[in-house]
Amino acid sequence: EIVLTQSPGTLSLSPGERATLSCRASQSVSGNNLAWYQQKPGQAPRLLIYRASSRATGIPDRFSGSGSGTDFTLTISSLEPEDFVVYYCQQYGNSPLYTFGQGTKLEIK
Amino acid sequence: QVQLQESGPGLVKPSGTLSLTCAVSGGSISSRNWWSWIRQTPGKGLEWIGEIYHSGSANYNPSLTGRVTISVDKSKNQFSLRLNSVTAADTAIYYCARLIIGSPAVDYWGQGALVTVSS
């Protein structure tokens, strides 16, 4: 099983700042099939990025993804107030086919 | 706009069977997408349960193999989850979801259904 470790667990920043969230896999993620989701309280997750760097439909361009192999990054270039929620990474490839990271909470400093 | 809606009992007794259905609207379950069940708990986070294609081909999380069955009903444009021999550890919010064609990421989620296992 591929274990995804997200860091930091909590990130404290101010609106307008740049956020860098990390997702590290215990083994190489095949085909760079790594996705990022945003989850607001009481809601289902929302897809932000798939295949490591492709932005999902309707996602603002302040969200970007990068990385390959075992190290992936979600960057939010300039934080808006609505961005202070929880983010998850997810990989596809090994058994089980899909696993998720434990999440990074973005909080207002 | 594709919409997914979970339905089913919110309370299941220990050792019983959890059954949920996901109704798909705004799109066809016979499209080239795979359809999935995912659950979320405060302790274990997000956990993939399994997925199904309209042909009936399915894949499951090995940790649940033997207890889980996902099926599809093309005539009703819906798919379903059955989880047997439930315990308190199966208490979770259960989401149905659609995977992007050709990419293993979820582009549409249901709103989620809280299922509690308790006597």
Side-chain angles (χ1 to χ4, degrees), chain A residues 18-68:
Chain A
R18 181 185 188 90
T20 303
L21 285 66
S22 173
C23 178
R24 178 161 291 178
S26 58
Q27 304 171 44
S28 184
V29 177
S30 64
N32 286 336
N33 280 310
L34 193 287
W36 289 94
Y37 301 87
Q38 176 193 68
Q39 188 174 32
K40 297 180 178 180
Q43 296 184 16
R46 176 176 72 145
L47 178 66
L48 299 175
I49 302 289
Y50 64 98
R51 283 217 184 99
S53 60
S54 296
R55 203 175 298 116
T57 302
I59 300 303
D61 60 7
R62 67 178 182 274
F63 292 93
S64 64
S66 62
S68 64

Side-chain angles (χ1 to χ4, degrees), chain B residues 14-15 41 85-92 115-118:
Chain B
S15 77
T41 62
S85 305
V86 297
T87 69
D90 294 309
T91 294
V115 179
T116 302
V117 178
S118 175

Side-chain angles (χ1 to χ4, degrees), chain B:
Chain B
Q1 176 81 345
V2 173
Q3 292 188 312
L4 306 173
Q5 180 67 58
E6 305 92 348
S7 61
L11 181 63
V12 182
K13 287 183 167 38
S15 77
T17 297
L18 182 158
S19 295
L20 292 172
T21 295
C22 180
V24 179
S25 59
S28 172
I29 200 142
S30 296
S31 63
R32 292 189 293 121
N33 303 90
W34 283 76
W35 306 89
S36 188
W37 287 97
I38 296 164
R39 66 183 182 181
Q40 186 172 29
T41 62
K44 291 191 70 176
L46 289 160
E47 180 182 28
W48 174 71
I49 299 170
E51 62 179 1
I52 194 163
Y53 196 63
H54 63 76
S55 63
S57 179
N59 299 299
Y60 300 117
N61 190 322
S63 70
L64 299 171
T65 299
R67 292 203 296 137
V68 62
T69 303
I70 298 175
S71 59
V72 64
D73 186 337
K74 289 185 283 187
S75 67
K76 294 182 178 179
N77 215 40
Q78 65 186 32
F79 62 108
S80 299
L81 168 70
R82 284 176 59 89
L83 184 64
N84 301 325
S85 305
V86 297
T87 69
D90 294 309
T91 294
I93 297 173
Y94 286 78
Y95 294 102
C96 60
R98 189 187 85 165
L99 295 157
I100 296 176
I101 294 173
S103 179
V106 175
D107 60 352
Y108 286 99
W109 298 73
Q111 66 184 24
L114 174 61
V115 179
T116 302
V117 178
S118 175
S119 56

